[in-house]
Amino acid sequence: MSLIEKTAGELIELQSSGDATAEAIADSFLASIRVQDPKVQAFLHVDEAAVREQARAVDVKRKTGQKLGALAGVPVAIKDVLCTKGVPTTCSSKMLQNFVPPYDAHVIEKLKAADAVLIGKTNMDEFAMGSSTENSAYFTTRNPWDLERIPGGSSGGSAAAVAACFAPVSLGTDTGGSIRQPASLCGIVGMKPTYGRVSRYGLIAFASSLDQVGPFTHDMYDQALMMEVIAGHDGRDSTSVDRSVPAYTKSLDIPIKPLTIGVAKEYFGGGLDSEVEASIRTALKEYEKLGATVKEVSLPHSKYAIAVYYLVATAEASSNLARYDGMHYGHRAKGKLDLISMYSRTRAEGFGQEVQRRIMLGTYALSSGYKDAYYLKALKVRRLIKNDFDQAFSECDVILGPTAPTAAFKIGEKSSDPLAMYLSDIFTISCNLAGIAGISIPCGFTKTGLPIGLQIQAPPFEEEKMLRVAKMFENATDWHTKRAKVG
Ligand code: GLN
C-alpha cells in the first residue's frame, strides 16, 4: 500500500517509527493531487510551498525532541466554508471570491495546535446549499469512483479528496446531510456530531441551528482521532456545549453489549433503491451475527422532515446571508449606483441561482402574515421530529438505516429539478433537525461498483457509543479498505 492509501493513524505510526517524514508524506499527497485532481477537481486552493513548510516544521519539531500534537504530519483537507487565516475562503461563491479571512475557525486552530498539515481548501455547493457540488460557482467535483457522477454534497470536495487519496482525512460541514451523504456516495466515513459538540466559530453560517463541523476519514480510528482534536467547548460559539470530550480512540474497540439496534419502518418505503436496501439489510444481518438485537421503531413525523428543513434552513439562510450587501467585504457591483441598486446588483451578481432561490423562499417564510403559517409551524413540527427520536432511543441504542436513497447519480441528472435534488436528503435531515449525532460508514457497492453507505444515528452526545457500534461492523467487514482507482 502506498503512502497515499494509508489512514491518518497509520501515517502517525510511520512517522514515530522513523519510516516516513511529514515532508515525504506531504509530497506524496501533493503529487497525487497534481496528477489526479485535474480529473476529480476536489480542490479550489492548494499552496504547495505552504504545505511543505508546515510538514517540515513538524519534522523539525520531531528531530529536536519537542512535544508533537495528536495529528502531527497528517495532511487534512478543509471545506472552503471554514475560515483559514491568510488563505482564501470562498464558500464556492462569487460573492466571496476574493475573501481572505483575518482569523482561523475554531476547528482550524485545533488542527494547527495538533500539528496537522493543512493541505488545501475543497470545493462545495455554494454556501453549502446542495447535494451534488454542482452548485459551486467554480466547477463540479467528480466522484472518484466514476468521474461521470457527482460526489454528493455539499461537502463534495472534502469527500472526494479523501476517496481519491488526496488527503487521508478532511473536514466538512453538515446542515442537512452534507457530510454523511457525500461520505456514503464516495465510499468513506463521515460524521455529523451532535449539535453543540464542535464549535461553529469561523464556520461561515448557512443555517445556524443546524450547521455542524465533522470529519471525513477512511476508517473509524481516524474518526475517533479527529473528534478528539476538534470537539470541545468554545466560548466564542454560544451554542457550543461545555462537556468533556471522551477519549474516543481508547474505547473504540470495546463492543457494545447488549446492543439493541432500532430500524425505523419509515426508512424502507418507496424511493429507496433496491440495491441500497439489500446492502442495508445485509449489514443488519451482520450486526445480528455480532449479537445485536434488531428492533423496529417508528419515526412517524419523518415524512415532514424535508418540508420542515426547507423552511427552517431557508429562513435562517435568508437572515444569515443578509450580510453580503457589498459594503463590508466580498463582491460589490461596479458603477455609480444608488444604495438600493448597489445592494441588489451586488447580490444578483454574487449569488448563484440556488442561493437566490433559498433566500427568496426563506424571506417569504419569515414575512409578515406568513411567518406563523410557515416558519413557526415548521418549528413546531421540528419538535415533534425530535420527540420521535427521544421515544425511539428509549427503546434502542442506535438507529440504523440508509444514508442516501440511491448511490451517486450522474452529473446533470437532477440539477434542473430542485425538488428531486432535495429528496436525496430524505434520510439525513431529521438528524440535524433533532440535533442528534449521525455517521455514514461504507457497507457495500452496487453492481456497477458505486459505494453504498450505512447510516447510524445516536442520541445527543453519544458519539462514543456510535463510533463503537460502527467499529464493530468495520472489524467484521473490509469495505473500509477499498480505495477508488481514479480513471
Ligand atoms: N443538501 C442539503 C441542502 O441542500 C443539505 C446541505 C448541507 O448539509 N449543508 O440544504
Side-chain angles (χ1 to χ4, degrees), residues 7-9 11-12 15 22 25 54 58 62 68-76 107-108 110-118 168-171 215 217 221-230 249:
T7 63
L11 294 171
I12 290 166
Q15 292 174 81
I25 291 170
Q54 295 173 70
V58 173
R62 189 179 301 279
L68 287 161
L71 290 171
V74 173
V76 186
V107 290
I108 302 296
K110 290 282 196 178
L111 289 176
K112 286 183 176 172
D115 292 315
V117 172
L118 306 187
V169 293
S170 64
L171 285 185
T217 65
Y221 179 82
D222 284 6
Q223 279 287 325
L225 189 62
M226 288 290 282
M227 282 299 288
E228 282 175 5
V229 171
I230 64 169
T249 52

Side-chain angles (χ1 to χ4, degrees), residues 104-176:
D104 277 326
H106 177 79
V107 290
I108 302 296
E109 288 176 353
K110 290 282 196 178
L111 289 176
K112 286 183 176 172
D115 292 315
V117 172
L118 306 187
I119 198 159
K121 302 296 293 284
T122 59
N123 196 29
M124 54 186 276
D125 285 297
E126 184 177 5
F127 284 102
M129 298 174 189
S131 309
S132 66
T133 320
E134 291 164 296
N135 294 338
S136 165
Y138 302 107
F139 43 77
T140 297
T141 297
R142 287 154 188 272
N143 191 312
W145 295 91
D146 178 348
L147 298 173
E148 302 290 295
R149 292 176 187 267
I150 56 100
S154 64
S155 316
S158 279
V162 172
C165 298
F166 299 155
V169 293
S170 64
L171 285 185
T173 60
D174 190 313
T175 306

Side-chain angles (χ1 to χ4, degrees), residues 263-294:
V263 175
K265 57 175 185 232
E266 291 80 5
Y267 285 178
F268 290 91
L272 179 60
D273 175 83
S274 59
E275 283 186 279
V276 174
E277 175 165 355
S279 281
I280 303 301
R281 296 219 184 265
T282 308
L284 287 169
K285 289 215 182 77
E286 191 62 54
Y287 272 105
E288 281 180 322
K289 270 198 245 155
L290 295 168
T293 309
V294 174

Side-chain angles (χ1 to χ4, degrees), residues 118-440:
L118 306 187
I119 198 159
K121 302 296 293 284
T122 59
N123 196 29
M124 54 186 276
D125 285 297
E126 184 177 5
F127 284 102
M129 298 174 189
S131 309
S132 66
T133 320
E134 291 164 296
N135 294 338
S136 165
Y138 302 107
F139 43 77
T140 297
T141 297
R142 287 154 188 272
N143 191 312
W145 295 91
D146 178 348
L147 298 173
E148 302 290 295
R149 292 176 187 267
I150 56 100
S154 64
S155 316
S158 279
V162 172
C165 298
F166 299 155
V169 293
S170 64
L171 285 185
T173 60
D174 190 313
T175 306
S178 284
I179 294 175
R180 289 159 292 152
Q181 184 255 20
S184 168
L185 272 40
C186 286
I188 58 171
V189 188
M191 184 202 302
K192 182 202 93 73
T194 306
Y195 186 75
R197 180 73 288 188
V198 179
S199 168
R200 293 180 293 109
Y201 176 78
L203 152 62
I204 298 176
F206 160 14
S208 309
S209 78
L210 302 161
D211 297 342
Q212 246 327 260
V213 185
F216 287 102
T217 65
H218 289 296
D219 73 357
M220 233 46 75
Y221 179 82
D222 284 6
Q223 279 287 325
L225 189 62
M226 288 290 282
M227 282 299 288
E228 282 175 5
V229 171
I230 64 169
H233 183 241
D234 171 25
R236 297 168 298 184
D237 168 4
S238 61
T239 62
S240 158
V241 175
D242 194 359
R243 263 175 99 118
S244 61
V245 179
Y248 300 111
T249 52
K250 300 282 179 300
S251 59
L252 195 58
D253 269 304
I254 311 169
I256 303 284
K257 273 184 186 157
L259 170 63
T260 307
I261 288 177
V263 175
K265 57 175 185 232
E266 291 80 5
Y267 285 178
F268 290 91
L272 179 60
D273 175 83
S274 59
E275 283 186 279
V276 174
E277 175 165 355
S279 281
I280 303 301
R281 296 219 184 265
T282 308
L284 287 169
K285 289 215 182 77
E286 191 62 54
Y287 272 105
E288 281 180 322
K289 270 198 245 155
L290 295 168
T293 309
V294 174
K295 184 174 178 186
E296 188 179 275
V297 294
S298 179
L299 300 169
H301 296 92
S302 59
K303 58 175 177 289
Y304 304 119
I306 291 198
V308 170
Y309 172 85
Y310 278 96
L311 283 165
V312 173
T314 57
E316 293 186 23
S318 75
S319 160
N320 274 327
L321 273 63
R323 73 190 67 170
Y324 304 104
D325 58 5
M327 297 303 285
H328 301 92
Y329 49 82
H331 176 72
R332 178 188 291 187
K334 293 211 167 46
K336 275 200 187 122
L337 299 165
D338 63 66
L339 191 65
I340 299 299
S341 319
M342 197 276 285
Y343 283 164
S344 55
R345 188 87 68 82
T346 292
R347 289 165 70 81
E349 290 170 3
F351 291 137
Q353 207 184 22
E354 182 62 23
V355 175
Q356 293 190 27
R357 178 182 295 122
R358 305 258 182 137
I359 291 173
M360 286 192 275
L361 284 171
T363 306
Y364 181 76
L366 287 177
S367 60
S368 100
Y370 295 99
K371 189 174 168 195
D372 290 5
Y374 293 113
Y375 180 64
L376 289 181
K377 179 105 167 254
L379 290 186
K380 288 179 187 165
V381 183
R382 180 178 186 176
R383 167 56 61 176
L384 297 176
I385 290 169
K386 161 89 172 102
N387 291 350
D388 284 354
F389 276 108
D390 290 347
Q391 172 59 36
F393 285 130
S394 71
E395 301 168 44
C396 63
D397 295 294
V398 289
I399 297 175
L400 257 67
T403 306
T406 64
F409 45 90
K410 286 236 163 85
I411 291 172
E413 197 177 315
K414 299 190 183 177
S415 47
S416 56
D417 184 352
L419 278 181
M421 190 71 90
Y422 297 171
L423 280 173
S424 58
D425 305 326
I426 187 131
F427 299 122
T428 46
I429 51 186
S430 33
C431 175
N432 303 71
L433 290 168
I436 63 173
I439 194 167
S440 179

